[in-house]
C-alpha cells in the first residue's frame, strides 16, 4: 500500500511539473512524453489518467495525496519563480538596450510570458500561495519598468535618427532639425510645409513598430496598458510638438494674441492656416495610424495613446483661433477671420472619424466650439462695420460734392467680402436671432438682409453729410455721385445677387430724384427769369431780364465747373437734362427779345451769350476745374 501511495505521489508530481512548465496543452504533453522515457513507472497511460479521481485511492489516501500535490506544487512554483527571477534579473541589470540584440529581446519577452503564466496559475491564490504571488508581482513590476524604458528608448532612438530602424532620409516631410548639428542634443524630426495633404507620415520604421507592439502586448496583458500609452505619449509628443513649432506656430496666451499689432497677427494667421491643414490632415492622422499599429488589438489603449500625444498640439492650434475670434472686431479683420472659419469648417469631415473615441471626442467638440466662435466674430465684425459708418463724423465736406471716402471704403469692403458669399450666408444663417426683412421686396437671405441694412446705414450717413454743403444743389450732386458709385459696385459684384434688381431700381430712382432736386435748386430761378408767359414786354424790361439771366448763369458756371461728377455717364445725363431745360427757354426768350418793338438794332449789343455759347458752357459743368467767367 505504501509503495502504491509512493507511486501515486510520483505520478502527481510529474503531472504538476508538466502543467507548470507547459504553457500550452501541447507543451505539457511533450514534457510528459519526455518523463515516460526515463522510468517505466511513468508510462503515458498512467500519466494520462485523471489526476483528481476521488474513488481511485480510497478515502484514507486521498487527503494525503492532495496534501502531497500541494507541497509539490508550491515547491515547483518556487523553483519556477527562482528560475524566472534569475533570467529576468539578468536582463534588467543590462546597461544597454535589451532590444539592441534581437535574441535578447526574444528571450526577455519569453521570460515575461512565463512569468505572466505563472501569476495566472497562482491567481486566485490558494492557501500558502500568497508569498509566491507577492514575489511574482514584485518581479513583474521590475519587468514592466524595464519594458517602459525599452519602449521609450525605441521611440526616441527611432525619432532621433538613430541607425536602429531609422526611416530613409527624405521619405517624408518630417526631417531632423539641422540646428542641433553639433551632436550634443537629441535631434527631433519636425515637419516642413507641404501643399499635398493626401499622405501619411511613417514617423517610426516598420521594425520599430513591430517591436513596440510586442512590448505593448505584454504590458497590457500585465495590466499596465495605461502606463504603456502614457509612455508612448511622453516619448513621441516632442515629435508632434516640434513639428508644429517648425511650421511657425508657438504657444501664446490670449492676451499676447490680442495685443499683437494687426499686421503681425495677419502673418501669424497665414502661418496658422498652413499649420492647421498640415497638423489635422497629415500629422494627426499619421499619429492615429501609428497608434493603431502599435496597439493593434489592444483597445482602448490605442485611443488613449493617440489622445495623449495629439491633444496639446490640437488644442494649441484651436486656442489660437479662439483667441483671434474673441479679440478686436475691427472691420479689416473680416477676411482673415473668414479664412480661419473656412479652414476649421472644412476639417470637420476629417475630424469625425479621427476623433470618434471616448478619449479624443472632446477635440472634435472643441473644434466645433471654435468654429461657432469664429462665426460669431464674423457677425460681430459686420455689426462693428455698421457702428463705424454711424460714427463717421460729418466734419468737412468733400470738395466739389465728389465721392466720399466712407462710400468707397464700404462698397469696396462689401464687394471684397462677398467673394466669400456662400460662407457668409452660412455664418449669418447660424444666427437664429436674425429678423426677417419687413419689406417683401427685399432679399430674403440673412446675409442679404445684413448687407441691405448696411446700405441703409450708409445712405443715412451720406444724407447727413450732404447737409454740410450750404448750396442745396451741391448736396444733390454729392448724393448723386455717391449713389451712382454704390449702384456700380453692386452691379459688378456678388452684391447684385444678394440685393437683387429691385434694390438697384429703387437706388436708381433715388439718384433720379436727386437729379430733379438739383435742377429745381439750380435752374428754376434761371427758367423763371426767361419765362415771359407769352407777353413780349418792353425792350427795357427784356434787357433787365437778360442781365439777370447773365448774372445767374455766370454764377452757376463759376461754381459748377468746380463741382465734380466722376461718373461719365451721370455727367453726360446731367448736362443733357440741363440743356433740355435751359436751351429751349433761352432760345424762346432771345426770339422775343429781338422782336421787342423798341429793341431794334441794339438787341445783339446786350446779348452776352448766344444759344451756342450757353450750350457750350453747360458742357463744361462738373469738370472740377473751377473756371472763371
Amino acid at each position: 500500500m505504501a509503495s502504491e501511495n509512493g507511486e501515486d505521489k510520483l505520478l502527481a508530481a510529474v503531472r504538476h511539473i508538466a502543467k507548470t512548465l507547459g504553457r500550452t496543452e501541447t507543451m505539457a504533453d511533450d514534457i510528459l512524453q519526455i518523463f515516460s522515457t526515463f522510468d517505466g513507472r511513468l508510462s503515458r497511460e498512467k500519466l494520462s489518467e485523471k489526476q483528481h479521481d476521488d474513488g481511485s485511492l480510497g478515502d484514507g489516501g486521498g487527503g494525503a495525496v492532495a496534501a502531497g500535490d500541494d507541497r509539490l506544487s508550491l515547491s515547483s512554483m518556487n523553483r519556477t519563480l527562482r528560475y524566472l527571477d534569475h533570467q529576468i534579473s539578468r536582463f534588467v541589470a543590462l546597461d544597454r538596450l535589451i532590444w539592441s540584440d534581437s535574441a535578447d529581446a526574444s528571450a526577455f519577452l519569453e521570460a515575461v510570458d512565463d512569468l505572466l503564466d505563472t501569476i495566472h496559475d497562482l491567481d486566485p491564490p490558494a492557501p500558502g500561495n500568497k508569498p509566491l504571488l507577492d514575489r511574482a508581482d514584485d518581479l513583474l513590476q521590475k519587468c514592466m519598468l524595464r519594458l517602459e524604458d525599452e519602449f521609450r528608448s525605441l521611440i526616441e532612438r527611432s525619432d532621433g535618427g538613430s541607425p536602429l530602424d531609422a526611416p530613409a532620409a527624405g521619405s517624408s516631410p518630417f526631417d531632423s532639425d539641422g540646428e542641433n548639428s553639433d551632436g550634443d542634443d537629441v535631434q527631433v524630426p519636425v515637419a516642413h510645409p507641404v501643399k499635398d495633404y493626401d499622405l501619411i507620415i511613417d514617423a517610426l520604421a516598420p521594425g520599430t513598430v513591430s517591436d513596440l507592439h510586442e512590448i505593448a502586448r505584454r504590458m497590457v496583458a500585465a495590466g499596465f496598458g495605461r502606463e504603456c500609452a502614457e509612455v508612448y505619449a511622453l516619448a513621441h509628443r516632442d515629435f508632434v510638438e516640434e513639428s508644429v513649432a517648425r511650421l511657425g506656430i508657438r504657444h501664446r496666451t490670449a492676451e499676447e494674441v490680442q495685443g499683437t499689432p494687426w499686421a503681425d497677427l495677419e502673418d501669424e494667421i497665414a502661418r496658422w492656416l498652413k499649420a492647421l491643414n498640415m497638423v489635422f490632415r497629415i500629422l494627426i492622422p499619421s499619429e492615429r495610424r501609428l497608434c493603431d499599429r502599435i496597439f493593434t488589438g489592444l483597445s482602448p489603449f490605442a485611443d488613449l495613446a493617440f489622445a495623449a500625444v495629439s491633444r496639446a498640439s490640437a488644442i494649441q492650434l484651436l486656442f489660437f483661433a479662439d483667441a483671434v475670434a474673441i479679440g478686436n472686431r475691427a472691420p479689416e479683420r473680416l477676411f482673415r477671420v473668414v479664412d480661419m472659419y473656412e479652414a476649421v469648417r472644412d476639417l470637420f469631415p476629417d475630424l469625425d472619424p479621427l476623433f470618434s473615441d471616448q478619449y479624443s471626442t472632446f477635440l472634435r467638440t472643441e473644434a466645433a466650439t471654435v468654429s461657432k466662435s469664429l462665426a460669431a466674430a464674423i457677425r460681430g465684425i459686420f455689426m462693428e462695420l455698421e457702428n463705424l459708418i454711424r460714427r463717421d463724423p460729418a466734419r468737412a465736406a468733400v470738395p466739389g460734392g465728389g465721392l466720399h471716402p466712407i462710400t468707397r471704403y464700404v462698397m469696396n469692403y462689401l464687394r471684397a467680402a462677398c467673394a466669400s458669399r456662400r460662407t457668409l450666408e452660412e455664418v449669418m444663417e447660424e444666427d437664429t436671432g436674425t429678423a426677417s426683412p419687413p419689406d417683401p421686396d427685399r432679399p430674403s437671405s440673412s446675409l442679404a438682409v445684413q448687407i441691405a441694412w448696411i446700405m441703409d446705414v450708409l445712405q443715412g450717413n451720406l444724407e447727413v453729410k450732404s447737409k454740410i454743403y450750404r448750396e442745396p444743389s451741391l448736396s444733390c450732386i454729392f448724393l448723386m455721385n455717391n449713389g451712382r458709385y454704390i449702384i456700380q459696385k453692386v452691379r459688378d459684384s456678388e452684391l447684385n445677387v444678394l440685393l437683387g434688381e429691385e434694390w438697384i431700381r429703387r437706388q436708381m430712382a433715388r439718384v433720379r430724384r436727386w437729379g430733379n432736386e438739383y435742377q429745381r435748386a439750380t435752374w428754376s430761378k434761371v427758367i423763371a427769369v426767361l419765362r415771359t408767359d407769352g407777353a413780349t414786354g418792353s425792350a427795357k424790361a427784356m434787357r433787365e431780364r437778360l442781365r439777370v439771366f447773365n448774372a445767374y448763369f455766370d454764377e452757376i458756371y463759376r461754381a459748377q465747373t468746380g463741382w465734380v461728377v466722376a461718373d461719365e455717364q451721370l455727367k453726360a445725363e446731367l448736362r443733357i437734362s440741363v440743356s433740355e431745360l435751359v436751351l429751349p427757354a433761352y432760345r424762346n426768350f432771345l426770339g422775343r427779345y429781338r422782336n421787342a418793338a423798341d429793341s431794334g438794332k441794339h438787341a445783339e449789343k446786350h446779348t452776352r451769350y448766344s444759344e451756342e455759347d450757353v450750350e457750350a458752357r453747360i458742357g463744361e459743368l462738373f469738370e472740377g476745374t473751377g473756371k472763371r467767367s
Side-chain angles (χ1 to χ4, degrees):
M1 187 68 175
S3 125
E4 291 178 1
N5 286 341
E7 185 175 333
D8 289 338
K9 292 179 180 179
L10 177 61
L11 292 173
V14 170
R15 290 192 196 98
H16 182 76
I17 292 171
K19 177 184 176 183
T20 302
L21 297 181
R23 292 197 302 274
T24 66
E25 291 184 6
T26 302
M27 292 175 66
D29 193 56
D30 291 342
I31 293 171
L32 292 175
Q33 180 65 40
I34 293 171
F35 273 116
S36 68
T37 62
F38 288 112
D39 194 316
R41 293 174 297 173
L42 306 178
S43 66
R44 291 305 307 275
E45 290 78 9
K46 291 181 179 181
L47 290 171
S48 300
E49 290 176 2
K50 185 176 181 182
Q51 183 174 357
H52 300 292
D53 186 353
D54 293 338
S56 62
L57 298 175
D59 295 338
V65 172
D69 285 348
D70 288 341
R71 288 193 297 271
L72 288 171
S73 175
L74 290 173
S75 176
S76 175
M77 288 288 189
N78 192 32
R79 285 194 299 271
T80 300
L81 280 177
R82 283 202 304 269
Y83 171 76
L84 291 175
D85 192 355
H86 174 73
Q87 288 290 95
I88 290 170
S89 296
R90 180 172 63 87
F91 288 116
V92 169
L94 288 176
D95 58 359
R96 60 172 174 80
L97 282 178
I98 298 173
W99 260 258
S100 62
D101 186 307
S102 59
D104 283 349
S106 298
F108 184 53
L109 289 178
E110 184 177 355
V112 173
D113 289 338
D114 290 341
L115 179 59
L116 289 171
D117 288 340
T118 301
I119 292 174
H120 178 73
D121 289 339
L122 289 170
D123 193 22
N129 283 4
K130 182 70 167 58
L132 289 177
L133 186 58
D134 290 342
R135 284 174 54 198
D137 286 338
D138 289 342
L139 189 57
L140 184 63
Q141 286 284 348
K142 293 180 182 179
C143 290
M144 293 302 108
L145 289 173
R146 183 59 192 242
L147 283 177
E148 283 185 10
D149 291 340
E150 296 289 326
F151 195 87
R152 182 185 301 106
S153 297
L154 283 170
I155 294 173
E156 291 175 348
R157 290 185 63 184
S158 186
D159 279 354
S162 165
L164 177 62
D165 294 326
S171 61
S172 78
F174 296 89
D175 297 323
S176 290
D177 189 347
E179 295 177 1
N180 296 327
S181 57
D182 56 5
D184 293 335
D185 299 325
V186 175
Q187 294 184 342
V188 181
V190 291
H192 300 295
V194 295
K195 294 181 179 179
D196 179 13
Y197 300 114
D198 188 20
L199 56 91
I200 292 291
I201 303 304
D202 288 322
L204 300 176
T208 302
V209 172
S210 178
D211 290 337
L212 292 171
H213 171 68
E214 292 302 319
I215 294 175
R217 192 161 63 84
R218 271 68 177 192
M219 292 186 70
V220 170
F224 286 78
R226 180 174 291 273
E227 288 79 358
C228 184
E230 290 173 354
V231 170
Y232 172 81
L234 289 172
H236 201 52
R237 189 178 294 157
D238 281 349
F239 170 83
V240 178
E241 293 180 357
E242 290 297 327
S243 297
V244 173
R246 185 62 175 269
L247 293 169
I249 304 299
R250 57 191 178 89
H251 177 72
R252 307 190 59 198
T253 65
E255 291 76 14
E256 289 174 335
V257 172
Q258 293 160 16
T260 302
W262 176 240
D264 296 335
L265 192 56
E266 271 195 298
D267 293 338
E268 288 191 43
I269 291 173
R271 292 193 297 271
W272 178 89
L273 290 167
K274 295 177 182 178
L276 186 78
N277 283 299
M278 183 71 179
V279 170
F280 281 94
R281 295 184 188 277
I282 296 180
L283 189 58
I284 290 181
S286 297
E287 283 301 312
R288 172 83 268 182
R289 177 172 178 265
L290 183 58
C291 290
D292 288 343
R293 290 170 63 199
I294 292 174
F295 295 94
T296 183
L298 304 176
S299 179
F301 302 108
D303 299 334
L304 185 61
F306 169 69
V309 79
S310 60
R311 180 189 297 113
S313 295
I315 289 295
Q316 179 184 352
L317 287 165
L318 295 175
F319 178 83
F320 177 83
D322 193 59
V324 172
I326 64 178
N328 189 302
R329 293 184 175 180
E332 65 268 16
R333 299 190 174 210
L334 174 70
F335 307 99
R336 279 304 187 186
V337 176
V338 167
D339 289 342
M340 297 177 79
Y341 172 83
E342 290 176 339
V344 175
R345 177 203 62 191
D346 293 345
L347 285 178
F348 286 138
D350 298 320
L351 298 186
D352 286 341
L354 198 59
F355 301 131
S356 58
D357 61 89
Q358 59 178 322
Y359 300 106
S360 59
T361 186
F362 79 95
L363 290 173
R364 184 175 54 182
T365 303
E366 186 66 23
T369 300
V370 169
S371 176
K372 291 182 182 296
S373 182
L374 290 166
I378 291 170
R379 293 191 293 270
I381 288 172
F382 273 94
M383 292 179 63
E384 184 58 30
L385 177 63
E386 292 178 25
N387 294 332
L388 181 146
I389 298 169
R390 285 194 183 95
R391 293 193 302 263
D392 192 61
R395 293 176 182 169
V398 177
L403 184 65
H404 197 280
I406 192 69
T407 306
R408 181 181 286 109
Y409 172 81
V410 171
M411 294 311 301
N412 286 329
Y413 182 93
L414 293 178
R415 191 167 183 258
C418 285
S420 303
R421 175 172 65 86
R422 297 198 179 279
T423 296
L424 293 177
E425 285 178 330
E426 175 184 314
V427 167
M428 295 299 174
E429 293 299 332
E430 287 183 17
D431 184 11
T432 56
T434 301
S436 299
D439 187 342
D441 292 331
R442 293 223 171 188
S444 58
S445 78
S446 296
L447 177 61
V449 172
Q450 180 70 56
I451 297 296
W453 175 247
I454 290 175
M455 293 296 193
D456 286 347
V457 173
L458 174 61
Q459 192 60 60
N461 181 272
L462 291 172
E463 289 178 1
V464 171
K465 286 179 168 62
S466 71
K467 293 179 171 56
I468 301 176
Y469 297 100
R470 286 177 295 180
E471 302 93 337
S473 53
L474 184 54
S475 296
C476 295
I477 294 294
F478 172 78
L479 291 172
M480 279 191 289
N481 272 319
N482 288 273
R484 179 59 71 94
Y485 184 84
I486 290 171
I487 292 171
Q488 288 175 335
K489 290 298 180 181
V490 169
R491 277 180 165 166
D492 295 343
S493 67
E494 289 286 315
L495 290 168
N496 190 11
V497 177
L498 286 168
L499 296 174
E501 288 299 322
E502 180 59 28
W503 186 91
I504 293 176
R505 282 193 292 271
R506 286 200 302 272
Q507 188 68 16
M508 292 177 66
R510 277 183 172 181
V511 173
R512 285 194 299 271
R513 188 182 76 243
W514 292 323
N516 293 332
E517 291 176 2
Y518 159 77
Q519 285 190 358
R520 285 195 297 271
T522 302
W523 299 102
S524 59
K525 61 181 181 180
V526 176
I527 300 303
V529 169
L530 297 176
R531 188 178 294 117
T532 59
D533 297 325
T536 302
S538 65
K540 183 177 180 181
M542 297 288 282
R543 280 196 299 273
E544 179 61 21
R545 284 176 176 266
L546 186 60
R547 184 188 66 78
V548 173
F549 167 82
N550 290 339
Y552 283 166
F553 190 70
D554 288 345
E555 178 186 358
I556 292 171
Y557 179 76
R558 281 195 303 271
Q560 297 193 15
T561 51
W563 294 1
V564 177
V565 176
D567 181 71
E568 292 298 327
Q569 183 179 348
L570 178 61
K571 186 190 298 183
E573 290 172 358
L574 277 173
R575 288 170 175 172
I576 290 171
S577 66
V578 170
S579 297
E580 290 176 348
L581 179 68
V582 174
L583 290 179
Y586 188 62
R587 185 184 308 114
N588 183 56
F589 177 85
L590 286 181
R592 291 179 180 277
Y593 174 61
R594 293 189 185 105
N595 294 331
D598 55 351
S599 64
K601 61 182 181 179
H602 300 292
E604 297 299 327
K605 177 181 177 182
H606 298 284
T607 304
R608 181 184 301 179
Y609 300 115
S610 67
E611 182 180 341
E612 291 75 13
D613 292 336
V614 171
E615 184 177 14
R617 291 208 163 196
I618 290 174
E620 295 176 1
L621 301 179
F622 317 122
E623 289 290 347
T625 57
K627 293 184 178 181
R628 304 171 66 91
S629 60

